[in-house]
């Protein structure tokens, strides 16, 4: 893709004449010992610094320290900035059409001029000169690559560049901690330092309505100001607080006046964020819902609200844009409501696949985003993008998206985006290939014509010395492996979704051992060592062996990895890694490692010739393993899908209290085991007794029997209702009912998951009315399945969840609500059997 109207490289001057010097050969820096650096007479701080940077970098690249002169010579000048002397010289030009960051580099045999718009154009021009002509690469804050050969040449000619994105943020902490380095990468969002040109005058659009309508101030006296959800105004809400009722006229006035007050206090602001909080509990009141239904999206009422605020802001601050997120439930544009001219949309790609380019037509997960972006482009001239480039659950796990960064950036540009926030693990130090990733992302958003994969390989060759080829092999393997996995990971993937299995983790561990062995000095070894943390995390997450010994489950690792947990802690501390995920510090993961490998988890193992199962009494009696031995099938979490961080969070079977008490009140069961059964019991807060028995059945012999009893001991009658929640491993990631079928028994067996991807076509009614006492799934491709049998008189209804990202189907059963008087009991049970053929 060619980038329109931002780049001019040529020798043709105004009037179309080609100057005589154009035919002359390039300048040789070794012949420039009598040249001088001439800053602009009226240089602003960033232009003075630009002259210093040119002097230092030229010295490193050419071995010649040129003097900085207050006045120009008759020739042999390097003009830095658009001062009077430069404009009057033979290489003079105006910078008035270059904006704040555009730059021009003009080289003749007698003079060089580097100048650009204020405040950052000239400084960026110096860095562009050094990259383009001297081969300098700004790799990390403490590693600037300078070619060893000093015989580089400076071509005669003219180069003009205006960056296509006005706002550029590669969100890594290195940029915030080292703003001089961020300036070298032309990331314009990290510092107000005038020496570095300051920041882009537009700020990131983010979650702000909790600031402009604080629930602490208004909630008690005016609950009607806040969202109506499930019939009530909920004043306690995660994600910053409750959403407002966006059609309430008083809310509009309060928010508008608070926004205007902020702008009054900060007169230099070019935009202000008026955007939803970080939750999906938007208002469902009659007025809000009427707009949303008419517009086909909750963005309908939200955008009408933002427009109303923007109209008021425009009267007080006519030059200010009012920005809002198109995020989550507001991503889809409304049918008829359009943003006002002073409204800016920050479009967020959080649901998108990070393995395939956003405009890849074969990636179903990305197609809807492309439709939304194209529709926004038809109604809004001010689109910015919030793009996701990390795994928020696993900051230091391999994340194979380097091949899609540049295609995505180019797609955003083609669709008229004016700013890019490339979110990564910027709230912590270090993280998977953070140095390489920062380099690649920053260069791509400065110049979208660059190729992210080639930049990644360039970084390896320049940063990792003799280990470079092995590092490139590692990158290639990780990406190739993930691309053949069949998954479409978002920015919250589990390890298996990015191709991390015991086999692949062992492979990349071996590659890093080779890379470390090839490092030629301590500096290179430290760089490879820092990158190798990703391989340790991959092994920790995927290669654990979950052993139950003497009633305790612990995780151990194959001997070839040595003290894996100790090595991980050592390296993360040495390289100052502060987080292993977005939400917790690294200490949280250290504690998890210690719990899993040292203290362990109380557990009970139960098995016979047909079944092997593992139960965690302290985790609400959760069943984390159910393996059918004759077919060698895991019905819950198989080893290849288990990760240490979320070892017991997915693909488990547990029973939840929907009504009567909370599952964690208390969470732990007391446990007794016999040869063929496990009995679990716990006393609830009011003294009631909850008992569960899991038994390997004799009849039928290939079955597991589950029985639950609640004995009410409270002083007053209470209603109890339970949810049986098994997340079965279906073996295949699909929502094709011909591959994985779900069945429920009424008078006969009924397959009900046809058209399940279309909500309005789902056969939900059969789940509520079927009374045959059977529930099943079957994988036709793998030829296995599972049957859950129950007494229909105990159950109110069934529920079904079919995951589009994981090989999982939840076949839930919800019991009747039963009111118990003190001393009364309620019992229910169900039986699980393996299927070798469909039930119908």
């Amino acid at each position: 893709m060619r980038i329109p109207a931002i780049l001019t490289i040529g020798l043709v001057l105004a009037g179309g004449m080609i100057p005589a010097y154009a035919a002359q050969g390039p300048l040789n820096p070794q012949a420039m010992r009598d040249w001088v650096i001439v800053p602009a007479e009226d240089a602003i701080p960033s232009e003075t610094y630009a002259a210093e940077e040119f002097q230092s970098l030229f010295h490193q690249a050419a071995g010649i320290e040129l003097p900085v002169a207050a006045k120009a010579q008759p020739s042999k000048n390097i003009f830095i900035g658009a001062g009077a002397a430069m404009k009057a010289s033979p290489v003079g030009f105006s910078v008035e059409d270059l904006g704040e960051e555009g730059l021009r580099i003009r080289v003749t045999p007698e003079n060089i001029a580097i100048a650009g718009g204020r405040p950052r154009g000239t400084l960026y021009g110096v860095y562009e000169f050094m990259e383009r002509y001297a081969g300098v690469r700004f790799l990390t804050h403490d590693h600037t690559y300078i070619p060893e050969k000093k015989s580089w040449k400076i071509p005669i000619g003219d180069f003009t560049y205006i960056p296509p994105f006005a706002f550029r943020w590669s969100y890594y902490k290195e940029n915030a901690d080292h703003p001089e380095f961020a300036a070298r990468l032309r990331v314009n969002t990290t510092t107000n330092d005038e020496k570095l040109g300051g920041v882009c005058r537009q700020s990131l659009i983010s979650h702000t309505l909790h600031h402009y309508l604080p629930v602490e101030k208004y909630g008690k006296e005016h609950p009607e100001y806040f969202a109506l959800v499930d019939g009530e105004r909920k004043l306690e809400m995660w994600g910053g607080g409750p959403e407002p009722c966006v059609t309430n006229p008083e809310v509009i006035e309060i928010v508008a006046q608070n926004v205007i007050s902020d702008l009054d206090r900060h007169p230099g602001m070019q935009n202000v964020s008026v955007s939803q909080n970080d939750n999906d509990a938007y208002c469902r009141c009659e007025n809000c819902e009427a707009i949303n239904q008419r517009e086909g999206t909750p963005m309908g009422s939200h955008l009408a609200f933002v427009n109303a605020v923007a109209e008021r802001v425009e009267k007080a601050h006519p030059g200010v844009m009012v920005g809002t997120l198109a995020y989550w439930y507001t991503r889809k544009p409304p049918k008829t409501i359009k943003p006002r001219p002073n409204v800016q949309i920050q479009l967020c790609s959080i649901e998108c696949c990070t393995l395939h380019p956003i405009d890849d037509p074969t990636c179903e997960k990305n197609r809807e985003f492309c439709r939304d972006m194209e529709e926004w482009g038809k109604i809004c001239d001010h689109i910015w993008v919030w793009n996701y480039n990390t795994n928020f659950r696993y900051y230091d796990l391999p994340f194979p998206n380097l091949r899609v960064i540049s295609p995505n950036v180019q797609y955003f540009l083609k669709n008229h985006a004016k700013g890019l926030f490339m979110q990564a693990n910027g709230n912590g130090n270090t993280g998977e290939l953070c140095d390489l990733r920062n380099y690649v992302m920053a260069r791509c958003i400065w110049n979208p014509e660059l190729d992210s994969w080639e930049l990644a390989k360039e970084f390896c060759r320049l940063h990792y010395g003799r280990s470079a080829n092995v590092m490139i092999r590692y990158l290639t393997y990780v990406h190739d492996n993930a691309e053949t996995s069949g998954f479409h990971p978002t920015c919250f993937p589990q390890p298996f979704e990015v191709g991390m299995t015991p086999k692949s983790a062992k492979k990349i561990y071996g590659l890093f051992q080779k890379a470390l062995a090839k490092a030629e000095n301590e500096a290179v070894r430290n760089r490879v060592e820092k990158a190798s943390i990703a391989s340790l995390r991959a092994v920790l997450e995927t290669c654990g062996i979950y052993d139950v010994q003497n009633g305790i489950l612990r995780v151990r690792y194959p001997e070839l990895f040595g003290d894996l947990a100790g090595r991980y802690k050592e390296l993360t501390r040495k390289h100052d890694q502060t987080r292993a995920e977005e939400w917790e510090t690294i200490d949280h993961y250290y504690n998890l490692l210690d719990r899993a490998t040292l203290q362990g988890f109380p557990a009970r193992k139960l098995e016979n010739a047909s079944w092997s199962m593992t139960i965690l009494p302290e985790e609400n009696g959760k069943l984390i393993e159910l393996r059918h031995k004759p077919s060698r099938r895991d019905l819950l979490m198989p080893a290849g899908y288990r990760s240490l961080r979320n070892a017991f969070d997915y693909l488990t079977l547990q029973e939840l209290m929907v009504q009567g008490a909370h599952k964690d009140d208390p969470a732990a069961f007391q446990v007794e085991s016999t040869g063929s059964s496990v009995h679990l019991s716990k006393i609830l807060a009011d003294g009631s007794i909850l008992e569960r028995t899991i038994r390997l059945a004799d009849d039928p012999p290939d079955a597991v029997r589950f029985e639950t009893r609640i004995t009410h001991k409270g002083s007053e009658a209470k209603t109890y209702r339970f949810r049986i929640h098994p997340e079965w491993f279906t073996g295949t990631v699909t929502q094709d009912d011909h591959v994985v079928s779900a069945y429920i028994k009424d008078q006969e067996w009924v397959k009900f998951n046809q058209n399940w991807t279309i909500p309005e076509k789902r056969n939900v009614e059969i789940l509520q009315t079927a009374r045959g006492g059977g529930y099943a799934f079957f994988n036709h491709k793998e030829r296995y399945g599972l049957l859950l049998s129950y007494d229909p008189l105990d159950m109110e209804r069934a529920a079904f969840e079919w995951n589009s990202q994981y090989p999982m189907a939840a076949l839930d059963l919800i019991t009747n609500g039963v009111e118990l008087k003190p001393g009364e009991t309620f019992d229910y049970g169900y039986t699980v059997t393996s299927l070798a053929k469909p039930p119908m």
Side-chain angles (χ1 to χ4, degrees):
M1 185 200 79
R2 297 296 297 175
I3 300 170
I6 61 168
L7 179 64
T8 304
I9 306 174
L11 304 175
V12 181
L13 301 182
M17 298 296 295
I18 299 177
Y21 63 71
Q24 298 185 31
L27 291 177
N28 181 357
Q30 298 304 313
M32 296 175 63
R33 298 176 186 275
D34 52 350
W35 286 54
V36 296
I37 300 167
V38 185
E41 298 87 344
D42 61 343
I44 61 175
S46 65
E47 292 167 348
T48 299
Y49 182 63
E52 297 169 2
E53 284 283 81
F54 187 93
Q55 183 186 45
S56 173
L57 291 167
F58 191 89
H59 182 207
Q60 295 174 64
I64 300 168
E65 185 167 4
L66 301 178
V68 176
K71 293 185 177 181
Q73 304 175 144
S75 63
K76 300 184 178 180
N77 300 291
I78 301 169
F79 294 103
I80 305 295
M86 184 276 275
K87 293 178 181 178
S89 75
V91 290
F93 54 83
S94 171
V95 297
E96 299 203 355
D97 59 345
L98 295 179
E100 295 184 352
E101 298 183 325
L103 59 95
R104 186 174 179 182
I105 301 170
R106 192 170 178 192
V107 181
T108 73
E110 301 298 326
N111 293 286
I112 296 173
I114 304 172
R118 288 180 171 176
R120 293 177 293 279
T122 297
L123 179 61
Y124 289 175
V126 166
Y127 298 140
E128 186 70 27
F129 179 97
M130 291 298 166
E131 285 181 343
R132 185 168 293 271
Y133 303 133
V136 172
R137 295 292 183 266
F138 305 109
L139 301 175
T140 69
H141 78 274
D142 57 0
H143 184 199
T144 296
Y145 170 77
I146 307 290
E148 292 183 6
K149 291 182 66 176
K150 307 300 181 186
S151 57
W152 52 282
K153 300 293 189 291
I154 307 172
I156 304 297
D158 227 330
F159 172 81
T160 300
Y161 187 74
I162 300 175
F165 297 115
F167 177 100
R168 300 177 303 278
W169 196 347
S170 173
Y171 187 57
Y172 279 100
K173 198 165 181 289
E174 183 180 26
N175 293 324
D177 290 344
H178 304 279
E180 293 88 354
F181 175 63
R184 287 179 163 189
L185 288 179
R186 280 133 287 174
V187 171
N188 65 355
T189 47
T190 62
T191 180
N192 291 312
D193 191 341
E194 291 184 355
K195 180 185 78 171
L196 303 174
V199 295
C200 169
R201 287 187 292 161
Q202 293 228 14
S203 57
L204 180 68
I205 304 306
S206 189
H207 312 286
T208 58
L209 283 176
H210 63 279
H211 168 69
Y212 291 121
L213 191 75
V215 68
E216 299 83 4
K217 182 175 181 180
Y218 297 105
K220 185 176 181 180
E221 294 186 7
H222 293 283
E224 73 277 8
Y225 287 177
F226 297 92
L228 182 71
V229 182
D230 297 330
E232 63 175 301
R233 305 283 178 176
K234 296 186 177 181
L235 301 182
E236 293 185 8
M237 185 60 59
W238 55 278
E243 301 291 352
C245 174
V246 291
T247 55
N248 186 311
E250 294 179 26
V251 168
I252 294 171
E253 295 301 332
I254 291 169
V255 171
Q257 289 309 309
N258 286 339
V259 169
I260 291 168
S261 296
D262 264 5
L263 293 171
D264 290 341
R265 290 191 295 270
H266 303 93
M269 293 174 66
Q270 283 192 340
N271 69 336
V272 63
S273 178
V274 179
S275 196
Q276 68 208 65
N277 300 324
D278 198 5
N279 62 68
D280 62 347
Y282 59 90
C283 189
R284 273 83 163 180
C285 76
E286 184 177 348
N287 292 335
C288 289
E289 272 296 279
I291 298 174
N292 295 341
Q293 291 300 317
R294 185 187 72 225
E295 297 295 329
T297 169
M299 185 52 140
S301 61
H302 181 76
L303 185 57
F305 162 77
V306 172
N307 278 343
V309 173
E311 181 180 12
R312 290 156 176 77
V313 168
E314 186 176 38
K315 295 175 183 177
H317 295 276
V320 174
M321 300 295 296
V322 176
T324 196
L325 296 173
Y327 167 69
W328 204 351
Y329 60 89
T330 61
R331 197 188 75 187
K332 182 181 178 181
K335 292 178 181 177
T336 65
I337 299 174
K338 299 179 181 179
R340 286 176 51 84
N342 68 324
V343 169
Q344 136 188 40
I345 297 296
Q346 180 110 31
L347 184 60
C348 303
S349 63
I350 195 166
E351 299 90 353
C352 289
C353 170
T354 55
L355 185 60
H356 303 105
I358 279 180
D359 60 349
D360 181 349
T362 67
C363 184
E364 183 177 348
K365 190 173 288 187
N366 290 345
R367 286 202 291 264
E368 189 173 343
F369 176 88
C370 292
R371 287 195 296 269
D372 288 347
M373 184 161 197
E374 289 160 12
E375 290 302 312
W376 278 115
K378 295 175 183 177
I379 62 174
C380 183
D381 293 329
H382 305 282
I383 297 176
W384 291 22
V385 170
W386 187 316
N387 185 232
Y388 301 83
N389 294 272
T390 191
N391 183 341
F392 290 113
R393 285 194 177 110
Y394 301 87
Y395 270 173
D396 51 7
L397 193 74
F399 187 66
N401 80 323
L402 292 169
R403 288 174 175 164
V404 305
I405 291 173
S406 55
N408 289 349
V409 169
Q410 291 162 7
Y411 171 79
F412 299 142
L413 179 60
K414 183 176 68 174
N415 284 274
H416 316 296
K418 296 182 178 179
L420 273 184
F421 176 54
M422 305 290 277
Q423 186 172 9
N425 54 298
N427 66 333
N429 292 328
T430 313
E432 185 255 353
L433 291 176
C434 59
D435 300 322
L436 180 151
R437 290 180 168 282
N438 187 41
Y439 175 78
V440 169
M441 286 198 294
R443 295 207 66 197
C444 282
I445 59 179
W446 168 253
N447 180 1
E449 287 197 326
L450 296 175
D451 183 293
S452 54
W453 184 244
E454 293 304 317
L455 287 171
K457 292 190 290 184
E458 176 188 67
F459 184 94
C460 288
R461 287 191 291 268
L462 302 182
H463 193 59
Y464 294 120
R466 294 176 187 168
S467 303
N469 287 338
V470 181
M471 293 297 295
I472 293 172
R473 283 174 57 197
Y474 158 72
L475 290 181
T476 302
Y477 173 76
V478 166
H479 285 74
D480 288 349
N481 181 59
E483 288 166 9
T484 59
S485 69
F487 292 102
H488 295 267
T490 64
C491 49
F492 301 93
Q494 294 297 331
F496 67 84
E497 293 181 85
V498 290
M500 288 297 103
T501 64
K503 179 181 177 181
S504 61
K506 184 177 179 180
K507 170 79 171 178
I508 66 174
Y509 178 87
L511 287 172
F512 269 105
Q513 296 308 301
K514 292 178 181 178
L516 287 165
K518 286 183 174 291
E520 66 268 35
N521 55 47
E522 190 66 19
V524 171
R525 181 174 179 81
N526 280 335
R527 295 168 192 163
V528 175
E529 194 179 67
K530 181 179 179 181
S532 76
I533 292 172
S535 70
L536 301 182
R537 183 70 189 269
V539 173
L540 284 169
E541 290 299 326
T542 66
C543 294
I545 300 166
Y546 291 72
D547 273 346
V548 178
Q549 299 289 337
N550 300 317
I552 299 294
L553 183 152
R554 292 187 180 89
V555 182
R556 61 179 177 85
Y557 294 91
E559 292 184 3
L560 69 95
F561 298 119
D563 182 10
L564 192 64
R567 182 66 171 154
Y568 174 85
K569 293 177 184 178
E570 175 192 351
L571 291 188
T572 51
R573 286 168 176 149
K574 176 180 178 180
H575 295 284
D576 195 28
Q577 181 173 323
T578 55
R579 288 180 178 270
E581 60 179 79
E582 182 184 23
W583 309 278
E584 302 284 353
T585 67
I586 192 75
D587 287 336
H588 176 80
Y589 190 65
Y590 293 161
N591 292 337
L592 188 155
L593 281 176
D594 290 344
R595 175 74 192 274
T597 60
L598 299 176
Q599 294 98 329
F601 305 87
R604 286 295 185 271
K605 192 87 172 177
L606 194 62
E607 60 183 312
N608 63 8
S610 295
W611 296 99
S612 174
M613 67 181 72
T614 303
I615 303 138
L616 299 184
E618 291 191 355
E619 300 287 328
N620 191 43
K622 185 182 292 186
L623 197 67
I624 64 167
E625 177 210 12
L626 183 61
R627 182 172 177 80
H628 186 243
K629 293 181 178 181
S631 65
R632 299 181 180 179
R633 294 289 184 183
D634 284 290
L635 280 306
L636 297 174
M637 178 75 78
Y641 283 76
R642 193 181 301 281
S643 68
L644 185 70
R645 180 188 180 274
N646 297 115
F648 316 128
D649 293 343
Y650 306 101
L651 294 171
T652 65
L653 189 159
Q654 61 177 322
E655 296 183 18
L656 309 172
M657 276 198 173
V658 177
Q659 190 175 357
H662 191 271
K663 71 178 180 67
D664 294 331
D665 187 21
F669 279 92
Q670 299 298 312
V671 59
E672 295 179 5
S673 299
T674 65
S676 61
S677 66
V678 170
H679 182 75
L680 304 164
S681 63
K682 64 180 174 180
I683 300 175
L684 307 182
D686 67 352
S688 297
I689 302 171
L690 179 62
E691 299 172 273
R692 292 179 63 199
T693 299
I694 304 171
R695 178 167 47 86
L696 298 173
D698 298 322
D699 184 23
D702 194 22
V704 182
R705 179 67 181 168
F706 297 81
E707 296 171 346
T708 298
R709 167 177 287 185
I710 179 74
T711 303
H712 181 52
K713 294 290 187 178
S715 59
E716 298 180 357
K718 181 183 289 187
T719 298
Y720 292 92
R721 181 179 277 106
F722 293 83
R723 185 184 191 103
I724 302 157
H725 180 63
E727 297 180 354
W728 302 119
F729 178 67
T730 60
T732 305
V733 179
T734 182
Q735 287 199 310
D736 183 345
D737 65 281
H738 296 96
V739 178
V740 173
S741 299
Y743 307 88
I744 195 163
K745 192 174 184 182
D746 198 9
Q747 292 183 353
E748 297 180 348
W749 281 102
V750 178
K751 187 175 87 164
F752 65 85
N753 64 327
Q754 305 94 321
N755 300 315
W756 200 259
T757 58
I758 307 171
E760 59 270 21
K761 292 188 177 182
R762 292 177 179 174
N763 187 7
V764 177
E765 183 178 353
I766 189 67
L767 300 179
Q768 299 170 341
T769 61
R771 290 294 178 264
Y775 202 3
F777 83 86
F778 192 80
N779 185 323
H780 298 276
K781 182 180 178 181
E782 301 290 334
R783 304 302 301 170
Y784 84 98
L786 179 138
L787 169 64
L788 194 154
S789 305
Y790 55 94
D791 185 342
L793 296 178
D794 291 337
M795 302 300 165
E796 177 183 89
R797 61 185 174 89
F800 181 68
E801 179 187 350
W802 197 7
N803 200 299
S804 62
Q805 300 178 41
Y806 308 122
M808 184 273 281
L811 278 62
D812 286 18
L813 292 171
I814 295 90
T815 72
N816 296 317
V818 178
E819 183 179 85
L820 299 180
K821 296 177 181 178
E824 292 184 335
T825 64
F826 169 54
D827 300 82
Y828 65 87
Y830 52 95
T831 300
V832 169
T833 54
S834 176
L835 292 178
K837 61 181 181 180
M840 60 184 295

